[in-house]
Amino acid sequence: MALNLSEQISEIFSKSNYTLIAFRKNHEIDSIASALALSLYLKKIHKPHDIVCDAFEAHENLLFLPEIQSIHGKNIDRQKLIISVDLKTNEIDQLSY
């Protein structure tokens, strides 16, 4: 039986060694909240991760959000960023980083 979407997501994170959560510089508040929610989930399952957003500064009205201080305003110091894509069942028209 095929896994449902929630099970697929859980499986991906359980197999991962590290997760980088990133959102765009011109973000909406929903982007921040979503990144923080994903971070809390990863923390709960004991998976290492970081949240980054170029030039991020938490506005005073958002300081109530849990873990908002964990968002890095610059790229964190990582030696490698590896992006894995399963091409057996998916096609890629374009990939940017």
Side-chain angles (χ1 to χ4, degrees), residues 31-93:
S31 300
I32 299 169
S34 298
L36 292 172
L38 181 54
S39 174
L40 290 172
Y41 169 74
L42 291 170
K43 189 177 284 191
K44 183 177 180 178
I45 63 170
H46 308 289
K47 289 294 184 173
H49 64 281
D50 286 297
I51 309 173
V52 296
C53 176
D54 186 33
F56 180 80
E57 290 183 32
H59 297 288
E60 286 185 36
N61 63 335
L62 299 178
L63 295 179
F64 71 95
L65 291 169
E67 304 290 326
I68 195 161
Q69 69 281 0
S70 66
I71 300 174
H72 300 279
K74 299 179 192 173
N75 279 340
I76 54 174
D77 185 25
R78 295 280 176 209
Q79 297 214 345
K80 290 185 203 176
L81 173 63
I82 299 171
I83 301 172
S84 299
V85 180
D86 182 1
L87 297 175
K88 293 176 191 166
T89 58
N90 301 303
E91 290 185 21
I92 294 181
D93 180 27

Side-chain angles (χ1 to χ4, degrees), residues 13 15 19-22 24 29 34 73 83 90-91 94 96:
F13 286 127
K15 291 179 180 179
T19 301
L20 180 65
I21 304 167
R24 63 189 176 111
I29 294 173
S34 298
I83 301 172
N90 301 303
E91 290 185 21
Q94 196 173 16
S96 303

